[in-house]
Amino acid sequence: MVIVNRFRIESGVKNKQPTTQLDVKTLLNRIQRFVGFVYQSIRLRGSGGSQRIEVKIEPHQGIRAKCSTCLRACPGYDVLEERRWLFVSLWGIAVHFFYPPRRVECPEHGVIVEHLPWSQGKRPMTTAMMGFLARWARRLSWRETAGVFQTSWESVYRSVQWFVQWGLAHRQLEGIEAIGIDEIHWSKGQRSNNFLTVIYQIDSHCRRLLWVGKRRTQATLRRGLAALGPAVVSGLRFVCSDMWQPYLRVLAAKAGHALHVLDRFHITSHLNQALDQVRRTESTRLHGEAGAKRLKKMRWKLLKRGSRVRGQARVKLYRLVFSKLATGRAWILKETFEHFWSYKSLMWAEAFLDYWCSRAIRSRLEPMQKVARMLRSHQALILNWFKAKGEISNGVVEGLNNKIRLVTRRSYGFRTFNAMEMALYHTLGQLPEPESGHRFC
Ligand SMILES: [Zn+2]
């Protein structure tokens, strides 16, 4: 320890560089220098809470302005009124750029505003500031981001929008072999508008959100597949989905060449829903009777995988299971089904599925019978899971779903679909980012 410290001190003395008197202009030139422009003057204005730093920018005398469309140097035409852009704040003090844009006469594009490397269209923020806010908006909620950096929710939204649009335009869609399709519920209510269809890439080397669309109809999924493009769809080897009929129809028609797998996560959740329904019906029926006590506060213990229930909870669970209540019988059926996924041979898995379904149908538990009938009618797609074994891991869709829930919940303030769509691409799309010379955060 001591030796290391001494070494540092000595080397620090030896390599001592000449220091410069630091002014803000030096800093700005160090972090982002724009070819063709110079920072002319920098002033601190206002006082107290309204302090701000004003940075005046001037064109470089020897360099001609460029056309904003083709980036070619062109002869000048005129000068427009001075505009203002918000830049990343310095020590909590807001920083603004001021510059009167020139217009140039481009041989190809006519009279047009010059290219400004810090600006994007008519937006009132510099690209550096938009990138700064967008990066923070992935770690904090948008409202928090706006609060911490003293800007509006709207500004954060616009920044994320710019970031995401850039990312979507520059992302690579080559080499996608496996996709998962799912429906997500968002906002309050159960109307069709409260559902989203999401398409994930679930390859082992890349897991990300590819597309999100309103509702969960055949038309929605058709739009999604069209957005990915025919090259992506024809390259698919595996498609993973729920038993939702509209999806099954579209996938059979549009991606029939890929192996269609009904995934484990969804089948498990159907079983859990059926079990929960049996419990609810029974506890209503038994209301006030002796058996009702056994069903109290059992919901989560029942829905968890049996092997994960420990201690006192396990004792209570087993008491319920052996009590001959309908809920206990439904739990045994749910728990037995787990066995299905452990088969190595397709033949044995098929035999097990057949056995399980006939047991469930004889159980006289209506919700369980319903699941059994559904599994029977989709037997081929369920057994595809064994053909795809090792190629797609079953936890992926579930994991991505949980992340989506986190975003939709955290962003409860998203009243519009557009804002939520942006947030989902932003956090789960693994989009490329616009490059910037300096990373502000
Ligand atoms: Zn041009």
mmCIF file of all heavy atoms in Angstrom, residues 330-353:
data_model
loop_
_atom_site.group_PDB
_atom_site.id
_atom_site.type_symbol
_atom_site.label_atom_id
_atom_site.label_comp_id
_atom_site.label_asym_id
_atom_site.label_seq_id
_atom_site.Cartn_x
_atom_site.Cartn_y
_atom_site.Cartn_z
ATOM 1 N N ALA A 330 -56.744 -29.300 -8.005
ATOM 2 C CA ALA A 330 -56.273 -28.463 -9.123
ATOM 3 C C ALA A 330 -54.775 -28.198 -8.981
ATOM 4 O O ALA A 330 -54.029 -28.188 -9.959
ATOM 5 C CB ALA A 330 -57.043 -27.144 -9.146
ATOM 6 N N TRP A 331 -54.340 -28.001 -7.741
ATOM 7 C CA TRP A 331 -52.911 -27.739 -7.501
ATOM 8 C C TRP A 331 -52.069 -28.947 -7.932
ATOM 9 O O TRP A 331 -51.032 -28.794 -8.561
ATOM 10 C CB TRP A 331 -52.668 -27.430 -6.024
ATOM 11 C CG TRP A 331 -51.244 -27.120 -5.712
ATOM 12 C CD1 TRP A 331 -50.642 -25.896 -5.816
ATOM 13 C CD2 TRP A 331 -50.226 -28.032 -5.268
ATOM 14 N NE1 TRP A 331 -49.320 -25.978 -5.475
ATOM 15 C CE2 TRP A 331 -49.029 -27.283 -5.133
ATOM 16 C CE3 TRP A 331 -50.212 -29.386 -4.983
ATOM 17 C CZ2 TRP A 331 -47.829 -27.857 -4.726
ATOM 18 C CZ3 TRP A 331 -49.020 -29.966 -4.567
ATOM 19 C CH2 TRP A 331 -47.832 -29.201 -4.447
ATOM 20 N N ILE A 332 -52.558 -30.157 -7.598
ATOM 21 C CA ILE A 332 -51.819 -31.364 -7.983
ATOM 22 C C ILE A 332 -51.693 -31.449 -9.504
ATOM 23 O O ILE A 332 -50.626 -31.740 -10.041
ATOM 24 C CB ILE A 332 -52.493 -32.634 -7.403
ATOM 25 C CG1 ILE A 332 -52.363 -32.615 -5.872
ATOM 26 C CG2 ILE A 332 -51.853 -33.904 -7.959
ATOM 27 C CD1 ILE A 332 -53.111 -33.710 -5.164
ATOM 28 N N LEU A 333 -52.780 -31.137 -10.193
ATOM 29 C CA LEU A 333 -52.732 -31.160 -11.663
ATOM 30 C C LEU A 333 -51.706 -30.162 -12.196
ATOM 31 O O LEU A 333 -50.900 -30.464 -13.075
ATOM 32 C CB LEU A 333 -54.109 -30.824 -12.244
ATOM 33 C CG LEU A 333 -55.092 -31.991 -12.330
ATOM 34 C CD1 LEU A 333 -56.465 -31.475 -12.726
ATOM 35 C CD2 LEU A 333 -54.607 -33.027 -13.346
ATOM 36 N N LYS A 334 -51.747 -28.954 -11.658
ATOM 37 C CA LYS A 334 -50.797 -27.926 -12.110
ATOM 38 C C LYS A 334 -49.365 -28.372 -11.865
ATOM 39 O O LYS A 334 -48.490 -28.249 -12.719
ATOM 40 C CB LYS A 334 -51.059 -26.609 -11.372
ATOM 41 C CG LYS A 334 -50.065 -25.528 -11.705
ATOM 42 C CD LYS A 334 -49.837 -24.522 -10.592
ATOM 43 C CE LYS A 334 -48.870 -25.023 -9.556
ATOM 44 N NZ LYS A 334 -48.205 -23.982 -8.770
ATOM 45 N N GLU A 335 -49.129 -28.887 -10.668
ATOM 46 C CA GLU A 335 -47.787 -29.280 -10.258
ATOM 47 C C GLU A 335 -47.273 -30.456 -11.096
ATOM 48 O O GLU A 335 -46.113 -30.501 -11.482
ATOM 49 C CB GLU A 335 -47.876 -29.665 -8.784
ATOM 50 C CG GLU A 335 -46.766 -29.303 -7.862
ATOM 51 C CD GLU A 335 -45.954 -28.079 -8.129
ATOM 52 O OE1 GLU A 335 -46.525 -27.028 -8.470
ATOM 53 O OE2 GLU A 335 -44.726 -28.170 -7.975
ATOM 54 N N THR A 336 -48.164 -31.401 -11.395
ATOM 55 C CA THR A 336 -47.765 -32.567 -12.192
ATOM 56 C C THR A 336 -47.336 -32.147 -13.578
ATOM 57 O O THR A 336 -46.449 -32.749 -14.185
ATOM 58 C CB THR A 336 -48.951 -33.555 -12.328
ATOM 59 O OG1 THR A 336 -49.650 -33.587 -11.108
ATOM 60 C CG2 THR A 336 -48.471 -34.947 -12.674
ATOM 61 N N PHE A 337 -47.965 -31.121 -14.100
ATOM 62 C CA PHE A 337 -47.656 -30.733 -15.473
ATOM 63 C C PHE A 337 -46.197 -30.303 -15.635
ATOM 64 O O PHE A 337 -45.615 -30.470 -16.700
ATOM 65 C CB PHE A 337 -48.595 -29.617 -15.963
ATOM 66 C CG PHE A 337 -48.559 -29.475 -17.449
ATOM 67 C CD1 PHE A 337 -49.371 -30.244 -18.262
ATOM 68 C CD2 PHE A 337 -47.653 -28.610 -18.058
ATOM 69 C CE1 PHE A 337 -49.312 -30.163 -19.645
ATOM 70 C CE2 PHE A 337 -47.578 -28.518 -19.444
ATOM 71 C CZ PHE A 337 -48.409 -29.291 -20.236
ATOM 72 N N GLU A 338 -45.607 -29.758 -14.583
ATOM 73 C CA GLU A 338 -44.199 -29.336 -14.620
ATOM 74 C C GLU A 338 -43.286 -30.439 -15.159
ATOM 75 O O GLU A 338 -42.271 -30.185 -15.801
ATOM 76 C CB GLU A 338 -43.724 -28.958 -13.209
ATOM 77 C CG GLU A 338 -44.085 -27.555 -12.801
ATOM 78 C CD GLU A 338 -43.504 -26.506 -13.734
ATOM 79 O OE1 GLU A 338 -42.269 -26.485 -13.885
ATOM 80 O OE2 GLU A 338 -44.287 -25.720 -14.318
ATOM 81 N N HIS A 339 -43.689 -31.663 -14.867
ATOM 82 C CA HIS A 339 -42.948 -32.844 -15.286
ATOM 83 C C HIS A 339 -42.765 -32.897 -16.800
ATOM 84 O O HIS A 339 -41.739 -33.361 -17.303
ATOM 85 C CB HIS A 339 -43.744 -34.057 -14.813
ATOM 86 C CG HIS A 339 -42.893 -35.241 -14.565
ATOM 87 N ND1 HIS A 339 -41.945 -35.270 -13.572
ATOM 88 C CD2 HIS A 339 -42.811 -36.438 -15.199
ATOM 89 C CE1 HIS A 339 -41.339 -36.425 -13.603
ATOM 90 N NE2 HIS A 339 -41.836 -37.148 -14.586
ATOM 91 N N PHE A 340 -43.776 -32.418 -17.487
ATOM 92 C CA PHE A 340 -43.791 -32.448 -18.950
ATOM 93 C C PHE A 340 -42.511 -31.884 -19.554
ATOM 94 O O PHE A 340 -41.952 -32.424 -20.500
ATOM 95 C CB PHE A 340 -45.011 -31.647 -19.428
ATOM 96 C CG PHE A 340 -45.113 -31.486 -20.917
ATOM 97 C CD1 PHE A 340 -45.408 -32.565 -21.733
ATOM 98 C CD2 PHE A 340 -44.914 -30.238 -21.512
ATOM 99 C CE1 PHE A 340 -45.515 -32.413 -23.107
ATOM 100 C CE2 PHE A 340 -45.013 -30.081 -22.884
ATOM 101 C CZ PHE A 340 -45.315 -31.175 -23.680
ATOM 102 N N TRP A 341 -42.046 -30.774 -18.959
ATOM 103 C CA TRP A 341 -40.909 -30.058 -19.558
ATOM 104 C C TRP A 341 -39.588 -30.788 -19.379
ATOM 105 O O TRP A 341 -38.600 -30.438 -19.996
ATOM 106 C CB TRP A 341 -40.800 -28.652 -18.957
ATOM 107 C CG TRP A 341 -42.091 -27.907 -19.058
ATOM 108 C CD1 TRP A 341 -42.945 -27.589 -18.039
ATOM 109 C CD2 TRP A 341 -42.698 -27.410 -20.248
ATOM 110 N NE1 TRP A 341 -44.039 -26.928 -18.520
ATOM 111 C CE2 TRP A 341 -43.911 -26.797 -19.879
ATOM 112 C CE3 TRP A 341 -42.342 -27.421 -21.602
ATOM 113 C CZ2 TRP A 341 -44.775 -26.205 -20.790
ATOM 114 C CZ3 TRP A 341 -43.204 -26.821 -22.526
ATOM 115 C CH2 TRP A 341 -44.400 -26.230 -22.110
ATOM 116 N N SER A 342 -39.570 -31.811 -18.516
ATOM 117 C CA SER A 342 -38.293 -32.462 -18.250
ATOM 118 C C SER A 342 -38.028 -33.634 -19.205
ATOM 119 O O SER A 342 -36.949 -34.214 -19.179
ATOM 120 C CB SER A 342 -38.264 -32.942 -16.798
ATOM 121 O OG SER A 342 -39.280 -33.909 -16.628
ATOM 122 N N TYR A 343 -38.987 -33.956 -20.061
ATOM 123 C CA TYR A 343 -38.748 -35.090 -20.973
ATOM 124 C C TYR A 343 -37.680 -34.775 -22.011
ATOM 125 O O TYR A 343 -37.559 -33.643 -22.462
ATOM 126 C CB TYR A 343 -40.048 -35.478 -21.686
ATOM 127 C CG TYR A 343 -40.949 -36.282 -20.806
ATOM 128 C CD1 TYR A 343 -42.061 -35.687 -20.208
ATOM 129 C CD2 TYR A 343 -40.678 -37.615 -20.518
ATOM 130 C CE1 TYR A 343 -42.882 -36.408 -19.370
ATOM 131 C CE2 TYR A 343 -41.501 -38.342 -19.679
ATOM 132 C CZ TYR A 343 -42.590 -37.740 -19.112
ATOM 133 O OH TYR A 343 -43.391 -38.457 -18.263
ATOM 134 N N LYS A 344 -36.927 -35.813 -22.361
ATOM 135 C CA LYS A 344 -35.936 -35.647 -23.419
ATOM 136 C C LYS A 344 -36.508 -36.172 -24.727
ATOM 137 O O LYS A 344 -36.200 -35.686 -25.798
ATOM 138 C CB LYS A 344 -34.657 -36.419 -23.070
ATOM 139 C CG LYS A 344 -33.982 -35.868 -21.822
ATOM 140 C CD LYS A 344 -32.496 -35.636 -22.055
ATOM 141 C CE LYS A 344 -31.926 -34.701 -21.024
ATOM 142 N NZ LYS A 344 -32.282 -35.060 -19.617
ATOM 143 N N SER A 345 -37.329 -37.207 -24.609
ATOM 144 C CA SER A 345 -37.846 -37.828 -25.830
ATOM 145 C C SER A 345 -39.218 -37.256 -26.179
ATOM 146 O O SER A 345 -40.093 -37.108 -25.321
ATOM 147 C CB SER A 345 -37.912 -39.339 -25.630
ATOM 148 O OG SER A 345 -39.181 -39.832 -26.007
ATOM 149 N N LEU A 346 -39.376 -36.957 -27.431
ATOM 150 C CA LEU A 346 -40.623 -36.398 -27.934
ATOM 151 C C LEU A 346 -41.775 -37.370 -27.704
ATOM 152 O O LEU A 346 -42.870 -36.985 -27.324
ATOM 153 C CB LEU A 346 -40.439 -36.109 -29.431
ATOM 154 C CG LEU A 346 -41.608 -35.477 -30.161
ATOM 155 C CD1 LEU A 346 -41.874 -34.091 -29.618
ATOM 156 C CD2 LEU A 346 -41.310 -35.390 -31.651
ATOM 157 N N MET A 347 -41.485 -38.667 -27.897
ATOM 158 C CA MET A 347 -42.518 -39.691 -27.781
ATOM 159 C C MET A 347 -43.084 -39.747 -26.355
ATOM 160 O O MET A 347 -44.284 -39.783 -26.144
ATOM 161 C CB MET A 347 -41.926 -41.034 -28.167
ATOM 162 C CG MET A 347 -42.951 -42.046 -28.577
ATOM 163 S SD MET A 347 -42.128 -43.590 -28.959
ATOM 164 C CE MET A 347 -41.689 -44.177 -27.342
ATOM 165 N N TRP A 348 -42.164 -39.713 -25.381
ATOM 166 C CA TRP A 348 -42.610 -39.767 -23.988
ATOM 167 C C TRP A 348 -43.342 -38.495 -23.594
ATOM 168 O O TRP A 348 -44.306 -38.527 -22.833
ATOM 169 C CB TRP A 348 -41.427 -40.016 -23.059
ATOM 170 C CG TRP A 348 -40.992 -41.442 -23.081
ATOM 171 C CD1 TRP A 348 -39.879 -41.952 -23.675
ATOM 172 C CD2 TRP A 348 -41.702 -42.557 -22.536
ATOM 173 N NE1 TRP A 348 -39.834 -43.306 -23.521
ATOM 174 C CE2 TRP A 348 -40.947 -43.712 -22.820
ATOM 175 C CE3 TRP A 348 -42.905 -42.694 -21.830
ATOM 176 C CZ2 TRP A 348 -41.336 -44.977 -22.436
ATOM 177 C CZ3 TRP A 348 -43.287 -43.963 -21.432
ATOM 178 C CH2 TRP A 348 -42.517 -45.092 -21.735
ATOM 179 N N ALA A 349 -42.881 -37.394 -24.100
ATOM 180 C CA ALA A 349 -43.549 -36.123 -23.797
ATOM 181 C C ALA A 349 -44.978 -36.160 -24.323
ATOM 182 O O ALA A 349 -45.918 -35.748 -23.639
ATOM 183 C CB ALA A 349 -42.783 -34.968 -24.429
ATOM 184 N N GLU A 350 -45.132 -36.713 -25.514
ATOM 185 C CA GLU A 350 -46.454 -36.803 -26.124
ATOM 186 C C GLU A 350 -47.360 -37.716 -25.295
ATOM 187 O O GLU A 350 -48.525 -37.385 -25.038
ATOM 188 C CB GLU A 350 -46.309 -37.347 -27.551
ATOM 189 C CG GLU A 350 -47.552 -37.158 -28.374
ATOM 190 C CD GLU A 350 -47.330 -37.534 -29.836
ATOM 191 O OE1 GLU A 350 -46.167 -37.803 -30.223
ATOM 192 O OE2 GLU A 350 -48.314 -37.563 -30.571
ATOM 193 N N ALA A 351 -46.804 -38.825 -24.859
ATOM 194 C CA ALA A 351 -47.579 -39.765 -24.039
ATOM 195 C C ALA A 351 -47.992 -39.108 -22.725
ATOM 196 O O ALA A 351 -49.125 -39.249 -22.265
ATOM 197 C CB ALA A 351 -46.741 -41.017 -23.772
ATOM 198 N N PHE A 352 -47.067 -38.333 -22.138
ATOM 199 C CA PHE A 352 -47.381 -37.668 -20.879
ATOM 200 C C PHE A 352 -48.500 -36.645 -21.076
ATOM 201 O O PHE A 352 -49.442 -36.559 -20.289
ATOM 202 C CB PHE A 352 -46.145 -36.981 -20.300
ATOM 203 C CG PHE A 352 -46.439 -36.208 -19.045
ATOM 204 C CD1 PHE A 352 -46.412 -36.839 -17.804
ATOM 205 C CD2 PHE A 352 -46.780 -34.862 -19.108
ATOM 206 C CE1 PHE A 352 -46.717 -36.135 -16.643
ATOM 207 C CE2 PHE A 352 -47.090 -34.150 -17.943
ATOM 208 C CZ PHE A 352 -47.045 -34.795 -16.719
ATOM 209 N N LEU A 353 -48.388 -35.876 -22.137
ATOM 210 C CA LEU A 353 -49.387 -34.838 -22.412
ATOM 211 C C LEU A 353 -50.766 -35.469 -22.539
ATOM 212 O O LEU A 353 -51.759 -34.964 -21.990
ATOM 213 C CB LEU A 353 -49.005 -34.086 -23.698
ATOM 214 C CG LEU A 353 -49.844 -32.860 -24.041
ATOM 215 C CD1 LEU A 353 -49.719 -31.794 -22.968
ATOM 216 C CD2 LEU A 353 -49.431 -32.283 -25.386
#
